[in-house]
């Protein structure tokens, strides 16, 4: 039963990957398709019983992390005080899914300590926790952290993995093949709020010309999903660049994003911001064989670059050493 989160007693440790959105961020919130992959940078948590509930031994009176609070509310009601430690190499508030990875890993650990769960239920739970903390958004990030690999959202029923629901809203999550590409992502160093960016874009979609823009987002993401599916780097690159023009038009680019995109250009098939934008990170598809050059260019332009690829591993438990106080 490798596809499930088995029941265990505390202490429990779990890990989950971050994510990179290739096509369709923001428009996905309005029902348009999205393509994203779980990347090979992850968050790991250890949950143990404790005298009082703390995250990373925060001092008394510190403002509680909203994702942690939401997880406790939705997945640990009456479970007693716990101490949670989390570690990650994912930069925070950077559009690379650090919150989704943290939420998916924590939800997996808490689900394990309360009888275990399957992946579809974990994806639903992780989305509810993230949504509870953020107040806006779609379930792509948390599903990628739970499932691993390349995923589509709102792209029809082919490869259907599961559906995530909230009230009347439904999102179909689908599996697509990993093209095996190495991508470059780079953090601008400018943190931003996903919720603020999503609200600003929602206003833009709701105003004059918003419907036409949304249609173009839809077209680019659908064609992008096809291009990645057939391993067509050139077409993917062109569509990345077109998607960035649209994101610029809805107002979520940033001068630092534009600088990194310019730096990437000579060594990339195409590039765009990834995630909510307004700061955050970019993703670039290297020209074949020029991965290292691309990463170097992004570093020289002041970004924090990573060469990443899709990881097939979704959220899973981690064995703790016997000395961990079972
Ligand atoms: O939080 P981020 O930067 O990974 O952005 C998520 C992508 C959005 O489409 C902007 C929001 C969402 O929840 O789909």
């Amino acid at each position: 039963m490798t596809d499930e989160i088995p029941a265990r007693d505390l202490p429990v440790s779990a890990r989950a990957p971050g994510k990179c959105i290739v096509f369709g961020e923001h428009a996905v919130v309005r029902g348009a398709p999205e393509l994203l992959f779980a990347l090979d940078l992850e968050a790991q948590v250890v949950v143990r019983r404790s005298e009082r509930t703390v995250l990373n031994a925060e001092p008394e009176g510190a403002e509680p992390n909203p994702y942690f609070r939401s997880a406790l509310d939705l997945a640990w009601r009456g479970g007693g005080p716990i101490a949670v430690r989390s570690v990650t190499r994912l930069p925070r508030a950077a559009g690379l899914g650090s919150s989704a990875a943290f939420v998916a890993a924590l939800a997996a650990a808490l689900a394990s300590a309360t009888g275990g769960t399957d992946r579809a239920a974990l994806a639903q739970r992780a989305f509810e926790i993230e949504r509870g903390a953020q107040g806006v958004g779609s379930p792509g990030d948390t599903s990628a952290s739970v499932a691993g690999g390349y995923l589509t959202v709102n792209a029809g029923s082919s490869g259907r993995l599961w559906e995530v629901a909230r009230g009347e809203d439904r999102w179909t999550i689908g599996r697509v093949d990993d093209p095996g590409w190495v991508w470059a992502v780079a953090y601008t160093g400018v943190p931003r709020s996903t919720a603020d960016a999503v609200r600003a874009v929602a206003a833009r979609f709701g105003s004059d010309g918003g419907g036409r823009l949304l249609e173009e987002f839809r077209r680019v993401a659908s064609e992008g999903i096809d291009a990645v599916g057939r391993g067509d780097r050139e077409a993917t690159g062109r569509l990345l660049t077109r998607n960035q023009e649209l994101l610029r038009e809805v107002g979520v680019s940033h001068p630092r994003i534009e600088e990194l995109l310019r730096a990437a250009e000579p060594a990339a098939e195409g590039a765009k911001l990834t995630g909510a934008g307004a700061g955050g990170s970019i993703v670039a598809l290297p020209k074949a064989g020029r991965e290292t050059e691309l990463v170097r260019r992004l570093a020289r332009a002041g970004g924090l670059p990573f060469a990443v690829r899709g990881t097939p591993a979704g959220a899973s438990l981690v064995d703790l050493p016997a000395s961990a106080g079972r």
Side-chain angles (χ1 to χ4, degrees):
M1 300 269 258
T2 52
D3 212 28
E4 295 197 86
I5 306 296
R8 281 193 191 163
D9 292 330
L10 293 180
V12 172
S13 179
R15 71 214 292 173
K19 62 88 216 226
C20 173
I21 300 176
V22 180
F23 292 111
E25 53 273 89
H26 286 293
V28 67
V29 178
R30 308 285 285 222
E34 177 180 65
L35 177 71
L36 74 172
F37 65 90
L39 49 78
D40 48 356
L41 296 170
E42 63 177 28
Q44 189 171 336
V45 301
V46 181
V47 181
R48 55 181 78 247
R49 294 220 171 272
S50 165
E51 299 277 291
R52 59 196 183 101
T53 293
V54 285
L55 171 62
N56 294 331
E58 269 170 13
E60 198 90 58
E63 176 68 11
N65 175 308
Y67 297 95
F68 184 48
R69 205 171 42 212
S70 179
L72 294 174
D73 278 354
L74 292 168
W76 196 248
R77 268 172 196 271
I82 48 174
V84 176
R85 284 234 164 242
S86 77
V87 286
T88 185
R89 283 176 56 220
L90 286 159
R92 287 178 206 284
L96 298 177
S98 67
S99 59
F102 170 69
V103 161
L106 182 56
L110 298 180
S112 171
T114 50
T117 191
D118 62 30
R119 249 168 232 284
L122 184 62
Q124 175 70 36
R125 171 59 58 83
F127 171 58
E128 286 165 5
I129 293 171
E130 191 182 61
R131 179 80 189 223
Q134 266 176 206
V136 292
S138 71
D141 292 16
T142 38
S143 275
S145 294
V146 169
Y150 275 66
L151 298 183
T152 58
V153 185
N154 301 333
S157 55
S158 111
R160 183 184 185 283
L161 263 188
W162 53 62
E163 195 172 83
V164 179
R166 183 171 193 279
E168 301 286 287
D169 295 334
R170 297 274 179 285
W171 292 268
T172 300
I173 311 296
R175 160 77 65 222
V176 288
D177 288 342
D178 182 337
W181 295 342
V182 172
W183 302 81
V185 296
Y187 177 40
T188 57
V190 180
R192 83 290 172 277
S193 149
T194 299
D196 291 350
V198 168
R199 290 197 183 96
V201 173
R204 181 69 186 88
F205 281 140
S207 68
D208 272 5
R212 177 195 55 80
L213 258 176
L214 190 56
E215 266 323 297
E216 183 62 0
F217 267 96
R218 224 181 251 288
R219 181 191 70 79
V220 168
S222 302
E223 289 183 15
I225 291 168
D226 290 347
V228 172
R230 59 175 194 275
D232 185 338
R233 298 177 76 99
E234 225 181 69
T236 302
R238 267 198 312 277
L239 290 158
L240 289 170
T241 303
R242 177 66 190 135
N243 200 158
Q244 172 62 20
E245 289 167 6
L246 295 171
L247 289 161
R248 211 176 273 142
E249 204 171 331
V250 295
V252 287
S253 197
H254 183 279
R256 292 289 298 132
I257 295 261
E258 297 297 331
E259 276 175 49
L260 293 185
L261 295 176
R262 271 194 303 277
E265 205 177 305
E269 297 284 3
K272 60 182 268 296
L273 69 83
T274 182
S281 299
I282 68 144
V283 57
L285 179 61
K287 288 186 171 154
R290 295 176 70 178
E291 290 81 2
T292 312
E293 177 193 342
L294 178 54
V295 166
R296 211 178 292 129
R297 284 177 169 279
L298 291 167
R300 231 183 275 133
L304 173 64
F306 301 89
V308 298
R309 53 170 78 234
T311 176
S316 62
L317 299 189
V318 178
D319 287 329
L320 284 168
S323 59
R326 273 186 188 288

